[in-house]
Amino acid sequence: MTPLIEKLQQVAVFSELPPDQLEWLVEQGQETWLDSGHILRREGDLADCVFVMLQGELRVYQNMGDHELVLATYQTLDFFGELPILTGEEHFWASGRAISPCHILELPSAAFWQLLSRCPSVTRRVLSTMAQRMLDVQSLYKQNEKLVALGTLAAGLAHEMNNPAAAIARCSQDLSQILPQLTAYGMNPPVLTSSQQQAISALYQEMVEQSPQSPLDPLTQRDREDELTHWLEDQKIPDSWQIVPILVSAGVNVPWLDHLVNQVPSQHLSSVLHYVTTALSSREQLHSIQIGAARISELVTAIKDYSFMDQAPIQTLDIHQGLESTLSILSHRLKQGAITVQRDYDLNLSPIQAYGSELNQVWTYLIDNAIDALVNHPTPSIKLRTCQEKTHLLVEISDNGPGIPPEIQPRIFEAFFTTKAIGKGTGLGLDMAYRIVRKHGGDIYFESISSNTRFYVRLPIAVVL
């Protein structure tokens, strides 16, 4: 008995094979030697062999774009590489890299199938090993899918929060420069009569109440600035160029200034105007801070709604709240793609008992896939529709992307099946969505033709979880 046959006899999968079958394996196989760091097969290579590690250690991983997801590590006497062949995949969906010098026996897939048909003991052991490995790989993928989704959401939220946070910081800095000016004015006010002060206060309040709700178009803004500049120059107001944009943005016009000049002594006009513009500027900064704080509060609320933080796992929930919080979480991606979101909600829907955070994962997978399908689309659009169908609630999520090719539609809900580029998807998003919906006693299905893909989720209104 040769040393190679003795080695194969120690491999668990082949332990019950007689010597003549082991000799046949050696004749069918091909020995390969790898130095540390060398690749046995790459992700995407033809799945044409299974392997026996005669000596050494090899790591199987998948490229996830910015990192490698380690799926398994195989050592001396391990049998591996059977999953793609047994699941009907044409190509390996992972790469194998030697992490120490390796001596490997490669067995062609045709010989592997022949071995399975001849030897029930090998078939039994291979299928048992395969089942456990599938569970392990699925667990790894699901954990990675959640981490990737969390990373995507975190990046989007960071971008969404950065804008209002930056606005708050900028406005706070501006206010720190404005407040000393207001303080100085308060400590050295111009000498005005009580009636003059009341008149100025009334004019200021009138201006605030009538200030434009939206910015002026650039041409109108320039024309009004020119008008005010000429008026202020006629009145010999110094540094008029600094205050004109603020006055125009607040809706100040020449008639308002004429009213003001009738109430204020000429020697105090410049001081009063600079005070008014400083007060207007501070009011504008405070308003921007309020808007930024409200936006951050809105995002925090969306996060809590999305994750059902501080709440029991099973909730009585309004399905629309989950859809809207998911849209808020994905708002960065929607804005990036200039995607229009249309809503057609039945607001009379009954609330349902559900695992709220899990259903939000379903909406995330479906909307995120729709966003991916709309890349480079000239008029991207996603539509969300809800309605009641007898004892069930229906959620429809559709997009006007290119559609799902007919030849791959039967495989859409298969675990590990993906049409995305290597490193861009694990193929578990829709599989997880399917499992979550089924856990709720519901159904998920789709229709897809050119320029229209619709995913439907049907959930029972009354169900005991």
Side-chain angles (χ1 to χ4, degrees):
M1 187 177 294
T2 66
L4 182 53
I5 291 178
E6 289 180 355
K7 200 81 169 178
L8 288 176
Q9 209 167 28
Q10 299 174 53
V11 176
V13 170
F14 305 139
S15 60
E16 297 182 26
L17 289 181
D20 62 320
Q21 288 288 351
L22 294 172
E23 187 175 345
W24 178 83
L25 276 181
V26 171
E27 293 172 356
Q28 297 298 314
Q30 177 180 333
E31 293 179 75
T32 298
W33 286 263
L34 294 176
D35 290 332
S36 179
H38 285 201
I39 300 297
L40 175 64
R41 290 291 192 280
R42 293 191 182 277
E43 184 177 349
D45 285 350
L46 189 66
D48 56 354
C49 288
V50 294
F51 310 96
V52 179
M53 181 65 72
L54 301 173
Q55 186 69 43
E57 191 170 6
L58 180 138
R59 180 171 295 150
V60 175
Y61 66 93
Q62 190 173 56
N63 188 344
M64 304 306 294
D66 59 347
H67 70 285
E68 293 179 354
L69 175 64
V70 177
L71 302 178
T73 300
Y74 296 113
Q75 300 174 328
T76 301
L77 302 181
D78 279 343
F79 171 81
F80 62 98
E82 79 287 356
L83 288 182
I85 292 174
L86 290 175
T87 56
E89 299 291 336
E90 294 184 3
H91 302 91
F92 287 110
W93 33 264
S95 304
R97 179 191 295 122
I99 54 178
S100 70
C102 292
H103 179 199
I104 298 171
L105 179 68
E106 300 186 9
L107 184 65
S109 57
F112 175 57
W113 283 114
Q114 194 172 349
L115 178 66
L116 292 180
S117 65
R118 287 181 178 180
C119 306
S121 64
V122 173
T123 303
R124 184 175 62 254
R125 288 180 179 269
V126 166
L127 291 180
S128 175
T129 302
M130 172 191 170
Q132 185 57 52
R133 285 178 179 171
M134 283 291 288
L135 291 174
D136 293 342
V137 170
Q138 281 191 3
S139 177
L140 280 170
Y141 267 122
K142 286 178 180 178
Q143 185 65 26
N144 184 74
E145 184 85 14
K146 291 178 181 178
L147 290 174
V148 169
L150 181 61
T152 301
L153 296 179
L157 284 169
H159 185 277
E160 284 294 305
M161 285 191 173
N162 182 63
N163 289 338
I168 290 173
R170 184 181 64 252
C171 292
S172 298
Q173 186 175 5
D174 291 345
L175 277 175
S176 69
Q177 297 173 353
I178 291 171
L179 287 176
Q181 300 175 36
L182 291 174
T183 302
Y185 183 90
M187 294 179 68
N188 298 288
V191 179
L192 299 172
T193 66
S194 176
S195 61
Q196 288 173 334
Q197 291 178 353
Q198 291 177 1
I200 293 171
S201 178
L203 282 170
Y204 178 81
Q205 190 60 38
E206 175 190 336
M207 177 182 55
V208 168
E209 291 174 356
Q210 296 180 1
S211 60
Q213 297 300 311
S214 57
L216 299 173
D217 64 84
L219 184 60
T220 303
Q221 176 85 11
R222 189 180 64 184
D223 289 343
R224 293 189 180 179
E225 286 182 5
D226 289 343
E227 289 178 7
L228 294 196
T229 299
H230 292 147
W231 190 94
L232 294 170
E233 287 176 349
D234 290 342
Q235 300 293 327
K236 307 267 192 288
I237 303 299
D239 299 326
S240 60
W241 60 272
Q242 290 183 327
I243 64 175
V244 162
I246 298 173
L247 293 173
V248 170
S249 296
V252 172
N253 52 28
V254 170
W256 187 91
L257 290 172
D258 288 337
H259 282 302
L260 179 67
V261 81
N262 290 331
Q263 303 297 330
V264 179
S266 58
Q267 70 270 26
H268 297 314
L269 181 60
S270 176
S271 177
V272 169
L273 278 172
H274 279 85
Y275 169 76
V276 167
T277 53
T278 302
L280 285 172
S281 183
S282 64
R283 184 176 180 276
E284 181 181 342
Q285 304 306 326
L286 283 172
H287 181 62
S288 296
I289 289 174
Q290 289 172 341
I291 292 175
R295 177 57 179 158
I296 291 175
S297 177
E298 177 186 326
L299 288 169
V300 170
T301 299
I303 295 168
K304 293 185 71 173
D305 288 345
Y306 179 85
S307 63
F308 284 80
M309 190 184 302
D310 303 327
Q311 299 183 46
I314 301 176
Q315 295 290 318
T316 300
L317 55 89
D318 177 357
I319 208 74
H320 303 115
Q321 183 178 355
L323 291 169
E324 288 300 311
S325 62
T326 303
L327 289 173
S328 294
I329 295 294
L330 294 173
S331 61
H332 174 53
R333 294 205 66 203
L334 292 166
K335 289 176 184 176
Q336 272 189 326
I339 297 171
T340 300
V341 177
Q342 303 175 44
R343 298 166 175 82
D344 181 11
Y345 292 160
D346 179 355
L347 299 180
N348 295 316
L349 287 180
S350 303
I352 63 170
Q353 289 278 323
Y355 295 92
S357 60
E358 292 189 8
L359 278 187
N360 286 345
Q361 288 181 48
V362 174
W363 314 140
T364 300
Y365 292 134
L366 297 181
I367 296 173
D368 200 48
N369 281 349
I371 293 172
D372 287 338
L374 294 171
V375 173
N376 298 324
H377 194 289
T379 56
S381 176
I382 292 175
K383 182 176 181 180
L384 278 62
R385 185 175 74 90
T386 63
C387 65
Q388 185 165 335
E389 293 184 344
K390 296 182 180 179
T391 59
H392 284 72
L393 173 154
L394 178 70
V395 177
E396 176 189 324
I397 298 175
S398 60
D399 66 75
N400 63 340
I404 303 170
E407 62 270 18
I408 68 170
Q409 290 187 14
R411 305 190 63 190
I412 283 297
F413 293 109
E414 283 185 20
F416 308 115
F417 179 76
T418 180
T419 59
K420 297 178 182 178
I422 291 174
K424 297 296 183 182
T426 62
L428 279 180
L430 288 177
D431 172 64
M432 292 176 72
Y434 177 85
R435 292 173 183 272
I436 291 170
V437 172
R438 294 298 295 170
K439 177 180 177 179
H440 285 79
D443 300 304
I444 179 171
Y445 55 97
F446 69 94
E447 298 173 351
S448 184
I449 57 175
S450 179
S451 300
N452 193 291
T453 297
R454 301 167 183 259
F455 275 85
Y456 302 93
V457 176
R458 292 178 73 252
L459 297 168
I461 293 173
V463 63
V464 178
L465 297 174

